[in-house]
Amino acid sequence: MWTLEVDPDDEQDRNLPTLSYQSLALPEAGAVIRSLTQRDAELINSRWEYRSDGSLEMIQRMIAISEREGGCVGVSIDGKLVSWMLRYLDGTIGMLFTD
């Protein structure tokens, strides 16, 4: 789950809604921003330039940790995952991809 925090004392932030979601739909674009799941791991691995014998397991671990702590996000258009980013085990962001 993600949360957008706003400062009620900041004039620009007062007009922003507080946002918590598992996924965020952008209907005009037919897109959904969502947390990655284990079902996405094989596709991500297949598209990763540096895949290896152990990379699928690493991606699965990254997604498993993200399911608890956040950090692995994808964009689906009409139900097809077309873009993603993952948080590495050390907290850095990587594996950015857009089809």
Side-chain angles (χ1 to χ4, degrees), residues 11-67:
E11 186 173 328
Q12 289 181 340
D13 283 358
R14 271 188 230 133
N15 295 323
L16 294 173
T18 300
L19 180 63
S20 273
Y21 60 92
Q22 288 291 344
S23 65
L24 174 65
L26 306 170
E28 61 279 354
V32 175
I33 301 170
R34 64 175 179 79
S35 297
L36 295 175
T37 68
Q38 293 298 326
R39 291 185 310 270
D40 302 315
E42 286 190 32
L43 173 63
I44 293 167
N45 188 58
S46 73
R47 298 288 181 96
W48 192 35
E49 181 177 352
Y50 303 106
R51 72 182 166 271
S52 65
D53 291 340
S55 61
L56 177 59
E57 183 180 336
M58 180 185 69
I59 291 167
Q60 290 168 331
R61 279 194 317 258
M62 292 162 68
I63 292 172
I65 290 169
S66 176
E67 289 172 343

